Amino acid sequence: MNSKKLALAALIILSATLIYAPLTHATTDWNLTVTASSSGYSSTTTFGISSTAISGFDESNDLVVPPAPPQGVYSYLYESGNPSSPVNLQGLSQDIQPDSGTTWLWTLYVENVGQSGSLTLSWSTSVPASTLTLTPSGGSQINMLTQGTHTFTANTGTLYSFTVDASETSTSPSPTAAEGSGSEGGSGGSSGSGFSSSPSPTPTSTLQPTSSTPSHPWWMFWYGWKLPSFSIGSFSVGGSSIVDVSVKIAVFVMAVAAVLLAVAVILRRRK
């Protein structure tokens, strides 16, 4: 193989790498913090997606919510699929999900502890998601990309539930709910009670997080296989499916091959 053929091969591989690389990470990593505030008290929760996140509780990206205060605002994200013992990992102040798939779901709980009154949820509308909605239990969807606050009356001893849906599809969200028309999600939560395996007021069966890995025919069972987190420099495959990992490895190998071929061309010309 002469130097011209080597150079052409290197150029083809490098071009394929540059074209193929964006496909390995079609989803942009992002996170969003929701602040729940009432009567001078506040509580924050953070959710989002990341290429380094793994399914289930992820020590690198998820944070367990601290105990409820004696008075103030208490909020957390509920993940029923996480273990509840010996350490309860179901209530989180930060919940980052894997970026595989096209839809994600979080369950948010908010409580006014030892006080009643107006409670406001606020967030930034600058999120790189196609759709992002907040739905109060029994209420209407709120478009979180166009509306940055939601205010409702929160009575002490009542746990209010919300679902947050995000997607990378072009589906249009439902019409937004009117500001300040929050729906109160039932009663029965005890003040400062934190979370349980069956949180009130909405049954957990309607609040299960959706799988971030798309469903496939049985003969493609390996699509759901996961690998442990590891990284080499900026090359990370933490929690990705084997399919995602193989694509990243392919791009990495093509880039290395392009460099080696370029070096071979240079050395051959010097001879």
Side-chain angles (χ1 to χ4, degrees):
M1 182 180 290
N2 57 37
S3 60
K4 289 184 178 181
K5 290 182 178 180
L6 284 174
L8 180 60
L11 181 61
I12 292 174
I13 292 177
L14 184 58
S15 299
T17 301
L18 294 176
I19 294 172
Y20 198 43
L23 300 179
T24 67
H25 196 261
T27 302
T28 302
D29 292 2
W30 58 266
N31 63 75
L32 180 66
T33 297
V34 175
T35 301
S37 55
S38 178
S39 303
Y41 295 96
S42 65
S43 174
T44 61
T45 52
T46 300
F47 56 86
I49 59 175
S50 172
S51 59
T52 65
I54 60 175
S55 299
F57 182 77
D58 179 5
E59 293 182 356
S60 300
N61 291 287
D62 299 338
L63 297 175
V64 176
V65 67
Q71 181 172 344
V73 179
Y74 187 49
S75 63
Y76 59 89
L77 298 160
Y78 181 73
E79 286 286 2
S80 61
N82 289 353
S84 58
S85 64
V87 177
N88 197 332
L89 303 177
Q90 294 181 332
L92 307 174
S93 60
Q94 178 167 298
D95 184 10
I96 307 299
Q97 298 184 10
D99 67 348
S100 55
T102 57
T103 61
W104 300 270
L105 176 67
W106 293 269
T107 301
L108 171 66
Y109 281 93
V110 182
E111 181 181 4
N112 237 345
V113 181
Q115 61 178 7
S116 297
S118 178
L119 192 151
T120 298
L121 302 178
S122 59
W123 58 86
S124 170
T125 57
S126 299
V127 179
S130 298
T131 64
L132 184 64
T133 60
L134 175 75
T135 307
S137 176
S140 302
Q141 282 187 343
I142 298 165
N143 188 341
M144 300 181 75
L145 299 178
T146 59
Q147 180 174 322
T149 61
H150 174 63
T151 301
F152 62 101
T153 300
N155 297 317
T156 185
T158 302
L159 198 60
Y160 298 89
S161 65
F162 302 81
T163 54
V164 177
D165 293 271
S167 77
E168 289 299 328
T169 65
S170 58
T171 303
S172 298
S174 298
T176 59
E179 176 71 15
S181 61
S183 174
E184 297 179 12
S187 61
S190 58
S191 177
S193 61
F195 48 90
S196 63
S197 58
S198 299
S200 176
T202 307
T204 57
S205 60
T206 63
L207 299 177
Q208 300 289 340
T210 57
S211 173
S212 59
T213 303
S215 58
H216 301 281
W218 65 269
W219 48 270
M220 297 175 69
F221 60 89
W222 38 272
Y223 255 69
W225 288 0
K226 297 286 184 178
L227 292 182
S229 299
F230 71 89
S231 60
I232 303 175
S234 60
F235 178 74
S236 173
V237 297
S240 299
S241 69
I242 284 185
V243 173
D244 296 333
V245 172
S246 64
V247 170
K248 291 183 178 181
I249 291 177
V251 172
F252 181 74
V253 170
M254 284 192 292
V256 172
V259 172
L260 293 177
L261 279 173
V263 172
V265 170
I266 295 174
L267 294 177
R268 187 178 180 87
R269 287 180 175 179
R270 287 183 176 179
K271 290 182 179 180

